[in-house]
């Protein structure tokens, strides 16, 4: 049998390992996104409630919406907009996961094998895994940022309708084209700085905490390496990732959701730092953790 025939006889995962890994990770990410998407929608609505810059600009369009908490916000969406609206913006969210997962996977493997390099015994040191994970996550999030922008803006359409404001988009394709026509290519990457920061911080918190907690439990408790240990480590790593990443996520959501002029420039915030300062000054430091509970639950 010739080498070409032998290669054709191999299973697809062995013939195209990276393509197969990408397809499987994209499918898994899409399913996970659809299952947990109501939490993401609730988180986004919580993050913009009580936005001080909106009230100062007079763009609130009525009385301020009370900060109702995760459960009351979710039930309010169902009651006021309908059950299906809990999945509004799910399509660009799936697009985002496909782009993010694929780019992150390819970037991480390139960093691991080419840039950072393995040790002489072919192991990959923990600190290199953290650096590689943070960098790959940031790169993946940068490329996926336009889909995140569309997702956030579509998630807010139901709220705009309740406030008597006109809807901005007819669908995902119309949203991309409208943002592109108004703000150009740069407009599609509005809010990319806090978005990339969030991805790097979440990856750092997740990678470092999970491994540390798992080793601590195995060394200092009667627990063995089983599903219970992994579940506890996952909860702890998700908590740390949420603590580190939520402030950047709040800033990202507000930057992406703010109204813009005809040139695509934000009318409420000049930059991510300006948004951070206005949020803390107008609403207090803990406003940076709006939407924390659904963020942690998704992780």
């Amino acid at each position: 049998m010739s080498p070409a025939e032998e290669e054709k006889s191999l299973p697809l995962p062995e013939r195209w390992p990276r393509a197969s890994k990408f397809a499987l990770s994209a499918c898994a990410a899409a399913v996970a996104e659809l299952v947990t998407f109501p939490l993401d929608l609730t988180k986004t609505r919580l993050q913009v409630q009580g936005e001080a810059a909106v009230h100062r600009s007079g763009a609130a369009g009525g009385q301020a919406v009370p900060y109702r908490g995760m459960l009351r916000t979710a039930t309010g969406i169902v009651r006021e907009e309908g059950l299906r609206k809990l999945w509004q913006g799910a399509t660009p969210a799936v697009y985002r996961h496909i782009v993010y997962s694929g780019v992150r996977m390819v970037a991480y493997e390139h960093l691991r094998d080419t840039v950072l390099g393995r040790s002489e015994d072919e192991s990959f040191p923990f600190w290199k895994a953290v650096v590689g994970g943070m960098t790959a996550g940031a790169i993946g999030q940068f490329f996926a940022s336009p889909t995140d922008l569309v997702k956030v803006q579509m998630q807010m359409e139901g709220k705009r309708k309740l406030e008597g404001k006109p809807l901005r988009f007819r669908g995902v394709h119309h949203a991309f084209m409208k943002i592109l026509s108004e703000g150009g290519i740069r407009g599609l990457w509005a809010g990319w700085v806090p978005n990339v920061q969030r991805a790097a911080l979440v990856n750092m918190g997740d990678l470092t905490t999970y491994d540390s907690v798992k080793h601590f439990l195995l060394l200092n408790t009667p627990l063995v390496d089983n599903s219970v240990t992994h579940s506890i480590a996952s909860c702890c790593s998700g908590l740390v990732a949420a603590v580190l990443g939520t402030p950047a996520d709040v800033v990202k959501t507000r930057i992406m959701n703010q109204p813009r002029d005809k040139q695509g420039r934000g009318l409420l915030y000049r930059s991510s730092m300006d948004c951070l300062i206005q949020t803390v000054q107008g609403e207090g430091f803990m406003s940076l953790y709006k939407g924390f509970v659904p963020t942690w639950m998704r992780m």
Side-chain angles (χ1 to χ4, degrees):
M1 185 181 292
S2 66
E5 292 175 340
E6 186 176 346
E7 184 180 346
K8 288 183 179 180
S9 66
L10 292 173
L12 285 177
E14 294 183 22
R15 289 164 61 187
W16 297 297
R18 287 195 175 182
S20 301
K21 191 183 294 183
F22 169 71
L24 290 172
S25 63
C27 290
V31 172
E33 182 66 38
L34 290 173
V35 171
T36 62
F37 191 78
L39 287 171
D40 188 72
L41 177 70
T42 303
K43 174 209 73 174
T44 300
R45 295 290 182 90
L46 287 169
Q47 288 175 338
V48 298
Q49 281 189 13
E51 196 170 358
V54 172
H55 302 305
R56 279 198 298 270
S57 69
Q63 292 184 340
V65 179
Y67 188 78
R68 299 183 292 187
M70 184 183 73
L71 293 178
R72 292 185 63 189
T73 297
T75 55
I77 293 170
V78 174
R79 184 176 61 253
E80 297 163 2
E81 304 171 39
L83 181 64
R84 290 179 58 189
K85 293 301 181 180
L86 286 174
W87 279 270
Q88 187 165 29
T91 301
V94 172
Y95 293 165
R96 179 253 176 198
H97 258 298
I98 292 173
V99 175
Y100 174 72
S101 300
V103 174
R104 182 180 63 169
M105 181 192 70
V106 173
Y108 181 78
E109 292 190 353
H110 177 73
L111 289 167
R112 182 191 62 195
D113 299 335
T114 307
V115 179
L116 297 172
R118 296 177 181 271
S119 300
E120 293 182 359
D121 59 355
E122 289 301 308
S123 64
F124 195 53
F126 177 66
W127 72 268
K128 288 187 177 182
V130 173
V131 172
M134 287 180 63
T135 307
I139 294 171
Q141 191 61 70
F142 175 78
F143 281 97
S145 198
T147 57
D148 235 342
L149 175 66
V150 173
K151 181 200 74 171
V152 168
Q153 294 200 7
M154 291 190 71
Q155 285 177 327
M156 296 306 299
E157 289 294 85
K159 184 172 181 287
R160 288 177 61 87
K161 188 174 181 180
L162 290 176
E163 292 174 348
K165 298 177 182 177
L167 299 182
R168 293 174 288 192
F169 313 119
R170 296 191 299 269
V172 178
H173 179 263
H174 180 244
F176 276 110
M177 297 308 297
K178 185 176 180 182
I179 294 171
L180 183 62
S181 64
E182 293 177 352
I185 294 294
R186 288 185 61 186
L188 287 171
W189 267 267
W192 73 269
V193 173
N195 212 7
V196 167
Q197 290 172 341
R198 174 194 171 276
L201 290 169
V202 165
N203 276 278
M204 181 184 72
D206 197 18
L207 288 167
T208 56
T209 308
Y210 179 85
D211 201 59
S212 300
V213 171
K214 189 179 78 170
H215 280 87
F216 175 83
L217 292 173
L218 293 176
L219 291 173
N220 298 283
T221 69
L223 292 173
V224 296
D225 193 356
N226 56 20
S227 58
V228 175
T229 304
H230 289 283
S231 297
I232 295 173
S234 295
C235 287
C236 293
S237 65
L239 175 62
V240 173
V243 169
L244 292 175
T246 299
D249 198 36
V250 170
V251 172
K252 174 212 78 173
T253 298
R254 294 185 173 197
I255 290 284
M256 289 182 169
N257 186 59
Q258 68 173 327
R260 299 182 178 275
D261 61 18
K262 293 181 179 180
Q263 286 73 44
R265 293 173 299 198
L267 298 177
L268 301 179
Y269 310 111
R270 296 188 301 273
S271 64
S272 301
M273 185 58 66
D274 181 46
C275 178
L276 178 68
I277 292 171
Q278 286 197 51
T279 300
V280 173
Q281 288 181 343
E283 304 165 54
F285 177 78
M286 291 309 296
S287 63
L288 294 175
Y289 285 92
K290 288 182 176 180
F292 175 81
V293 174
T295 298
W296 181 22
M297 290 178 68
R298 288 195 83 210
M299 293 180 178

